[in-house]
Amino acid sequence: MPTVSNEEAKAAVQDRSGAQPAPGRMTRILDSDFFHAFLRSKVTVVAACGTLILFLLAFLAPWIAPHDPFDLASISIMDARVPPVWMDYSDPRFVLGTDDQGRDLLSGIFYGMRISLIVGFCSVFAAAIIGITLGLIAGYMGGRIDALIMRIADVQLTFPAILIALLIDGVANGIFGSLDRDIFAFYILIVALALSFWVQYARTVRGSTMVEKNKEYVQAARVIGLPSVIIMARHILPNVMGPVMVIATINLALAVVTEATLSFLGVGMPPTQPSLGTLIAIGNDFLYSGEWWIAIFPGLALALLVLNVNLLGDWLRDALNPKLR
Amino acid sequence: MIGFATRRFVQAMIVMLVVALLSFTMFRFVGDPVNQMVGIETSLEERESLRERLGLNDPIPIQFYHFLSKAVRFDFGTSYQFRQPVSDLFAKRIPATLELSFTSALFALVVGIPMGIFAGLNRESPVSKLFLSVSLIGISLPTFFIGILLIFLFSVTLQWLPSFGRGETVQIGSWWTTGFLTVSGLKALILPSITLGLYQMTLIMRLIRAEMLEVIRTDYIKFARARGLPDRLVNFRHALKNTLVPVVTITGLQLGSIIAFATITETVFQWPGMGLMFLQAVQNVDIPIMSAYLLLTAFMFVAINFIVDILYFLIDPRLRVGRP
């Protein structure tokens, strides 16, 4: 059994020799400034745990949710609009009550969060790919291409993302017609969100690319005759990824909120594949008749998710920015 | 100064042209305008003559030119849903949106600035920390959910305030209607304005706090204190004044997003403004309304940006040095 000090010594040796087996890397992460700063901020630790728990609840929904809201056989309309367990006329099977079709709200929230997060991750990923590609091209090529891409970015920045997403959604509505829309809703939503959020990545990546491209390693790569595409993808890209990760974290929260808003407005996920926003929209119709839980619980879940991710993103931004220490 | 303004103006015009092109593309190519206007029983010949009359057979650049020259005269065609001129529909709904936006901007400033000043001056006080935590929650709650919570609390549970509509309105002039002059109109304004303004309020509060923290560390503030000037004078005359430059910029720019986010608030509260109409147009693929809304908001955004740029230049003398 190796002791801790042995482990560290081994890690140090391995560092010097360049090899990086898993235990050495783990020790290094646990011993880094980054991790210590993380432990020092209690709020961040709580936020990280909260995010982890919510992610687990969402992605493990099919296994841990008490009911399957998509299984029509297990749903009974007789169970519709049952209040949460601590109220009168409740049913112990449904902890947070049921919605208008008798689906268990707690399970609905798990599944809804899953859909919200999948849409969020996909759209952040798509936006990052568009933004990074255009940013790399603009920063590396310079000249007219740079001017063109950055002007487009400027024009888009004058509009709030939600408006752009709404417009794209409206146009997609016009092209696909409302019948096909339900099938494509997921993809339309991701395209709309990705096209609304790419600008930030492009601007950041362009800035760091312009710095990196004058460094010696890029010049060396150019001298040995590597094509521009390889230089951009293999050599510059890894060195501009730091800030991208921060933007991606903050944008995940933003994408989840925007998705929820679009779904609430009725142009996002359809009721057949409800995200948190769709659930709130459904519940909103019953707010006036006193069945508040159908709207409020999904809303609280959404707020909790966004708050945790936001806290994490804020901290990450400060931790990776040495100027603010 | 004139050179700077001209350059900005040219940029603004280019942005408007690009947006107009987008809006034209949408108008012309998403769905067939003729199909939207005629019934199923219209014959092919009639369709063709309508097509000719509408100028849909002209070369695309000429069509774009016609679209532009009409748009400048606020002629955006006829709504597919309402069979009325789009410009009339907008004229009816603009007052509602502008009154809502104005009230919520006012709310954001009147509440946000004092909170920010307090939090900036008393950094360690528990009240400031409370402000900050509340603002974090305010940023994390989506606008529409804030609206739902307010409705649930004040309309459904307490039944103090109405949950939808504008209340009674009074007509001023030929087309402006206002809710400012009746009790029910004012009551109806409260919840939507708070919903819409809350995010901007937290933003302004955080901004002022950050600026205040920065400014009170500078030498001239220390010197003013060393001279024995009263705190009130130092805080408000010297410090606050210098925090206002970014506030003017951000407030100006936020005015644009207030108008955009009004779409959401108007939907939650069924507020009869432009945003609600735009959303209904998106749901029903009413392209003329969508393209007109795009052009109108773009115009507002560009105009606001332009004015803010010029204001910035006028307020902060440091920017003038070194510029041609």
Side-chain angles (χ1 to χ4, degrees), chain A residues 151 155 158-160 162-163 166-167 169-171 173-175 178 257 260-262 264-267 277 280-281 284 287-290 292 295-300 302-303 306-308 310-311 314, chain B residues 15 18-19 26 30-31 136-137 139-145 148-149 151-152 155-156 163-164 206 256-257 260-261 263-264 267-268 278-279 282-285 287 290 293-294 297-298 301-302 305:
Chain A
R151 281 300 83 74
V155 172
T158 41
F159 299 96
I162 182 91
L163 211 59
L166 265 176
L167 273 170
D169 225 277
V171 171
N173 249 344
I175 294 171
S178 44
V257 169
T261 308
L262 289 175
F264 175 75
L265 295 178
V267 290
I280 301 171
N284 194 31
L287 201 58
Y288 302 98
S289 47
W292 52 269
I296 302 292
F297 286 133
L300 290 180
L302 175 67
V306 174
L307 180 69
N308 278 317
N310 261 341
L311 283 172
D314 271 0
Chain B
V15 172
V18 173
V19 174
M26 213 161 81
V30 177
L136 195 68
I137 295 170
I139 284 177
S140 296
L141 282 177
T143 314
F144 69 92
F145 190 57
I148 292 178
L149 283 179
I151 289 181
F152 177 60
S155 304
V156 179
S163 62
F164 64 91
R206 289 178 152 240
S257 51
F261 277 101
T263 312
I264 302 162
T267 313
V268 176
F278 170 64
L279 194 83
V282 168
Q283 284 163 345
N284 299 322
V285 203
I287 300 288
M290 280 165 67
Y293 184 80
L294 176 64
T297 41
F301 281 121
V302 169
N305 272 342

Side-chain angles (χ1 to χ4, degrees), chain B residues 45-84:
Chain B
E45 288 80 44
E46 278 174 279
R47 282 173 194 244
E48 206 40 56
S49 76
L50 182 65
R51 191 170 281 278
E52 190 62 43
R53 251 186 299 135
L54 289 172
L56 291 174
N57 291 333
D58 294 345
I60 298 294
I62 293 185
Q63 286 190 37
F64 181 51
Y65 171 76
H66 285 308
F67 177 81
L68 270 188
S69 59
K70 275 186 184 168
V72 171
R73 283 177 276 131
F74 294 109
D75 177 0
F76 298 106
T78 311
S79 153
Y80 297 159
Q81 306 170 75
F82 302 104
R83 312 274 157 189
Q84 282 176 38

Side-chain angles (χ1 to χ4, degrees), chain A residues 47-60 109-110 113-114 117 300-309:
Chain A
C49 295
T51 311
L52 195 69
I53 293 171
L54 289 174
F55 277 20
L56 283 178
L57 287 180
F59 287 109
L60 299 179
I109 288 173
F110 288 175
M113 198 145 66
R114 184 175 145 102
L117 278 175
L300 290 180
L302 175 67
L304 208 61
L305 179 66
V306 174
L307 180 69
N308 278 317
V309 177

Side-chain angles (χ1 to χ4, degrees), chain B residues 227-242:
Chain B
R227 267 157 70 203
L229 293 179
D231 274 352
R232 191 172 41 85
L233 206 63
V234 178
N235 289 344
F236 290 95
R237 183 74 61 78
H238 295 244
L240 183 62
K241 215 172 164 186
N242 281 288

